[in-house]
Amino acid sequence: MKPEIIAVVCLIILVGVSALSPKLRLATPILLVVIGIGISIIPGVPPVHVPSEWILAGVLPPLLYSSAINLPLVDFRKNFGSIAVLSVLLVIVSALVTGFLLFMILPDLNLAAAIALGAVISPTDAVAATSIGKRLGLPPRLIAVLEGESLVNDASALVLLRTAIAASAGTIALGGFGGVTVDFAYSSVVAVAVGLVVGFVTVFFRSKLTDSVLTTAISFVIPFIAYIPAEAIGASGVLSVVVAGLYTGHMGAKHFSASTRISERLNWRTIQFLLENGVFLLMGLELKDIFLDALNPRASADDLDAIGAVGLGLGAAAALFVIRFLFVGPLLAAQRARAHRRDPHSDEAREATGWRGGLVLTWAGMRGVVTVAAAQSLPEDIPYRSQLILIAFTVSIVTLLLQGGTLPWIIRVLKIRGVDEAADHAEFATLVDELRDAGLQVLETPELVLPGGEEVVEGVVERVRSDADLRSESAWERARSAEPEADVERGAPHRQYRVLRLEVLKAERLALLDARGQARYSSRILVRAQLMLDQEESRLQQSDGSDGH
């Protein structure tokens, strides 16, 4: 089958499964892995193999960048302690423990190579967990910790993997703890510096462009601008990408235009959807051939066959779960104690994760993209290479299907309370009031004139003031309607306005289509009119609490 036909079929599968998974109450990555396995066992389907370099250098940077620009830096900073422990310390401990166990079990595997596999299976992938958590209403703090952990732990694992491979090859003495520590520290610190420089320079130049198409086009190469030089000087390209993405996402609110932010958000959401779901489909497609490769007598060691590798993968998955459980408990206890010492009534104390959230955080430790790609980057001459890759794939598949498949049930049984919708709307309305008051200060200026010196026509000030007041009143109306036993059918003029205005827009859109069909206006005028209707419809949907999706 031609590659272009395969690409079209895969895209149809991605979109179809993503549309179907909410109805089945399953995370999209889980279904894609199962479908990939099913397709791979169909007779006549050719083997699927994608070089690990394509994923590590071609897929991972844009995937991490798209996640980083959408993760609020405030949330990352607020949960930095938890994220650091889970994404650095837990990764190192998991890699050392599982690596030592494999070293004890497999006689031909040296300790450094065993730790390299431990680094491969240590980082978590929060895609499935966060998609489930957001749908079922997990507390925002849990979601932020999961997303932050999955961003940083990829870098930790890949740095540790590279160090362990170098030690296995004799470049670094694993027994020389100082050399390993220096290599790890250098890789991390330099990566942060490169990421900050790339973020600062690209934000500066993009802010000077007025065309949102050009600024968004530049954003497509930023992950690689951050990744390639960092890797070239021996630092972590992945961590550099994450830092550049966090900086860009934070500073974009200040330096980019509204149209640029809208364009970038939609384009990167599409890229993220295609890449992350495509890798999960690929994981299922590759599994059969990886298993058959491990069965090949020429590739197998006498003391470990494919079935044994799957068994070790199951044992490694169980060990990783236990290690994560032992880490999460004390971490959350320390977090709650610190918050209550500072102020028992503070927001931090109220948001501190309890034992139910801790169990969900433990259960959400699924493995995914990095584990699949990093496993296939193991050196060709490493003992048991085919079996080690199968172990890594087994860990990914088992954690994704077992933990990811049962995570919705765990969340429902534990009855974890997420966002208080009424409080959320009230907080939003309070912020809108604050913004309105700041904006109306402009109208209080004596001898008000426009920036170009033009005098304001009579009636314009009151019209602008009325628009600001209406927005505030609309936000408070929605807050009141979210309260228990609220009557949303009466006394909601702004809701009625939005509904009625959307109906008017629908009629206007039909008239626009009719005008286009009769070719009564030039195409450029028709495009401008369509953009005008789209922008107002988007604004009304966002003020109604949705983004149109």
Side-chain angles (χ1 to χ4, degrees):
M1 188 180 293
K2 295 183 178 180
E4 57 268 27
I5 297 178
I6 295 175
V8 170
V9 171
C10 287
L11 181 58
I12 293 173
I13 291 174
L14 295 183
V15 174
V17 170
S18 298
L20 184 64
S21 58
K23 297 179 176 61
L24 299 178
R25 297 183 177 275
L26 288 173
T28 301
I30 297 173
L31 280 179
L32 288 171
V33 170
V34 173
I35 290 173
I37 294 173
I39 293 175
S40 70
I41 61 178
I42 297 175
V45 173
V48 176
H49 175 70
V50 176
S52 61
E53 295 80 8
W54 289 17
I55 298 179
L56 288 175
V59 173
L60 198 55
L63 190 56
L64 290 175
Y65 181 82
S66 62
S67 298
I69 60 174
N70 290 312
L71 178 63
L73 188 59
V74 173
D75 289 348
F76 187 86
R77 200 161 47 209
K78 182 188 296 184
N79 299 288
F80 181 76
S82 301
I83 291 172
V85 170
L86 293 174
S87 60
V88 179
L89 190 58
L90 177 56
V91 166
I92 294 173
V93 172
S94 299
L96 293 177
V97 172
T98 54
F100 183 76
L101 292 176
L102 289 169
F103 170 69
M104 298 296 291
I105 295 171
L106 303 176
D108 294 335
L109 196 65
N110 63 48
L111 180 58
I115 292 175
L117 180 64
V120 166
I121 61 178
S122 294
T124 58
D125 189 321
V127 172
T130 53
S131 65
I132 294 170
K134 289 177 181 177
R135 189 179 73 241
L136 297 180
L138 276 183
R141 185 160 195 170
L142 268 181
I143 299 293
V145 170
L146 284 171
E147 290 180 332
E149 178 195 4
S150 68
L151 277 177
V152 181
N153 69 9
D154 293 342
S156 303
L158 291 176
V159 170
L160 187 59
L161 171 63
R162 183 173 56 198
T163 304
I165 290 176
S168 176
T171 307
I172 299 177
L174 193 62
F177 179 76
V180 174
T181 304
V182 169
D183 182 72
F184 191 93
Y186 168 83
S187 182
S188 303
V189 172
V190 173
V192 170
V194 172
L196 286 174
V197 170
V198 170
F200 176 82
V201 172
T202 55
V203 166
F204 175 79
F205 281 105
R206 292 174 67 198
S207 67
K208 303 302 179 184
L209 298 174
T210 57
D211 191 330
S212 60
V213 174
L214 297 180
T215 56
T216 304
I218 292 175
S219 75
F220 294 153
V221 300
I222 293 176
F224 306 103
I225 296 175
Y227 181 87
I228 294 172
E231 288 289 320
I233 59 178
S236 170
V238 171
L239 183 57
S240 178
V241 169
V242 170
V243 172
L246 287 172
Y247 182 89
T248 303
H250 185 67
M251 300 304 293
K254 180 179 180 181
H255 295 289
F256 297 160
S257 66
S259 59
T260 294
R261 289 192 294 271
I262 293 172
S263 174
E264 186 170 46
R265 184 169 67 92
L266 292 177
N267 280 287
W268 275 107
R269 181 186 291 178
T270 304
I271 292 173
Q272 184 177 17
F273 163 78
L274 293 173
L275 291 180
E276 66 188 14
N277 289 300
V279 171
F280 284 111
L281 179 62
L282 177 65
M283 186 190 304
L285 291 171
E286 287 188 316
L287 184 62
K288 183 193 75 171
D289 295 294
I290 289 172
F291 185 83
L292 293 177
D293 191 32
L295 281 175
N296 186 347
R298 293 173 299 174
S300 299
D302 295 335
D303 52 352
L304 183 65
D305 56 13
I307 303 301
V310 171
L312 285 179
L314 295 173
L320 289 169
F321 179 84
V322 172
I323 295 169
R324 186 174 179 84
F325 180 81
L326 294 176
F327 254 80
V328 168
L331 171 66
L332 296 182
Q335 179 191 84
R336 291 178 65 86
R338 184 178 65 253
H340 280 275
R341 274 198 310 271
R342 291 178 178 175
D343 183 359
H345 306 292
S346 65
D347 291 340
E348 183 183 6
R350 286 195 298 270
E351 294 177 5
T353 307
W355 69 268
R356 292 182 179 87
L359 184 55
V360 169
L361 192 59
T362 302
W363 204 265
M366 287 89 81
R367 271 63 186 173
V369 176
V370 174
T371 295
V372 170
Q376 297 174 83
S377 69
L378 292 172
E380 293 289 342
D381 59 349
I382 194 173
Y384 308 100
R385 184 178 187 275
S386 299
Q387 290 81 1
L388 295 181
I389 294 175
L390 182 56
I391 289 172
F393 264 70
T394 301
V395 170
S396 290
I397 300 294
V398 167
T399 56
L400 190 63
L401 297 182
L402 181 59
Q403 293 173 228
T406 55
L407 184 59
W409 179 79
I410 293 288
I411 294 173
R412 292 192 185 97
V413 168
L414 294 176
K415 297 180 179 179
I416 295 180
R417 183 183 179 186
V419 174
D420 185 330
E421 185 177 357
D424 224 30
H425 284 300
E427 184 179 0
F428 174 74
T430 302
L431 176 59
V432 171
D433 276 355
E434 185 177 327
L435 300 180
R436 178 201 60 186
D437 293 341
L440 291 180
Q441 291 297 319
V442 175
L443 305 181
E444 305 300 329
T445 305
E447 301 179 359
L448 179 65
V449 294
L450 298 180
E454 181 183 357
E455 292 186 4
V456 179
V457 177
E458 183 179 356
V460 171
V461 171
E462 286 307 314
R463 181 180 174 186
V464 173
R465 190 189 305 275
S466 176
D467 287 344
D469 289 338
L470 284 173
R471 186 174 58 186
S472 180
E473 291 169 11
S474 177
W476 278 112
E477 177 186 283
R478 188 155 186 82
R480 287 189 293 271
S481 70
E483 294 174 356
E485 302 179 0
D487 186 356
V488 298
E489 297 301 323
R490 297 188 306 168
H494 299 293
R495 180 188 62 82
Q496 293 179 0
Y497 165 80
R498 288 191 298 270
V499 174
L500 188 57
R501 184 59 186 147
L502 285 170
E503 290 298 313
V504 171
L505 285 173
K506 186 184 299 184
E508 291 176 343
R509 193 176 299 281
L510 290 175
L512 175 64
L513 294 175
D514 182 61
R516 188 183 67 181
Q518 297 180 23
R520 289 188 282 115
Y521 297 91
S522 62
S523 59
R524 66 180 183 280
I525 300 301
L526 292 170
V527 169
R528 284 179 59 185
Q530 181 171 318
L531 179 60
M532 175 187 69
L533 297 181
D534 288 346
Q535 288 175 334
E536 183 171 2
E537 183 177 341
S538 175
R539 179 181 62 82
L540 290 169
Q541 289 172 333
Q542 289 173 353
S543 67
D544 198 36
S546 68
D547 60 1
H549 295 280

